[in-house]
Amino acid sequence: EVGFSYYPFFACLSTSSQFVGSILGFLYTATWFIVTTMHVAACPNGKIGEFQQVLINWPSILCLVFLLGQFIHIFIKAVRIRFGLKKEEEETLKENGVLLHHQAGYVKRLMRKPPEQLEKSWFQRKVYEWDPYFKFPSRMIFTSVLTLLCLYIFVLLELHLYTYVFKRFQSLTEQYEEAVTSSNDSAKYE
């Protein structure tokens, strides 16, 4: 079911006809966005607690918004290419088997002498020093995003389990206190 529902997203993103793919993908994504948003707005609460649907569906809604933006970007790029405002250099380079622009720039930068070290920010020193010509592979990005989504779902499940166990423990404590007070009724023995 999921593969059948989400296949059009990937088909529209990967089609060679960017103009048609962007229009159909935008319409399909907008439909999913509207349906998902209406479903969340109609019944935000569930068995787990308040705003269950909002907590569970916000990653999906966020991804749909990203896809809407991506289809708009693809549409604008296709219109610019169609009207001759931009060349299809990436497409022709791909077909000829030559490096893409960002790949060629990255290789050139690697072959040059390293520039003088300027003062780096804390983020560049400790976390990541970026390169304007380097692009992360899609598989790495998808794996990272999927890992974060799985971690989010795991935290939600753990929160639900904690809430359930806490409620059960609280009810057992109340039953135990009730049993203790009923067995320690000293008024019977006077």
Side-chain angles (χ1 to χ4, degrees), residues 1-11 28 32:
E1 177 184 343
V2 173
F4 183 72
S5 299
Y6 288 108
Y7 178 76
F9 293 128
F10 298 109
Y28 190 74
W32 266 102

Side-chain angles (χ1 to χ4, degrees), residues 184-190:
N184 283 341
D185 193 9
S186 58
K188 289 183 190 178
Y189 301 111
E190 289 181 9

Side-chain angles (χ1 to χ4, degrees), residues 20-85:
V20 175
S22 64
I23 292 172
L24 292 176
F26 181 82
L27 293 174
Y28 190 74
T29 306
T31 304
W32 266 102
F33 178 75
I34 290 169
V35 167
T36 305
T37 307
M38 289 182 69
H39 173 69
V40 169
C43 51
N45 301 330
K47 294 178 183 177
I48 296 175
E50 289 187 39
F51 302 109
Q52 171 191 349
Q53 292 295 328
V54 176
L55 288 175
I56 291 174
N57 286 320
W58 80 262
S60 176
I61 292 172
L62 187 65
C63 289
L64 289 172
V65 169
F66 174 76
L67 280 174
L68 284 172
Q70 185 67 23
F71 283 123
I72 290 171
H73 173 71
I74 292 171
F75 177 75
I76 291 170
K77 189 171 134 183
V79 166
R80 289 178 66 189
I81 290 172
R82 181 163 290 196
F83 291 122
L85 300 173

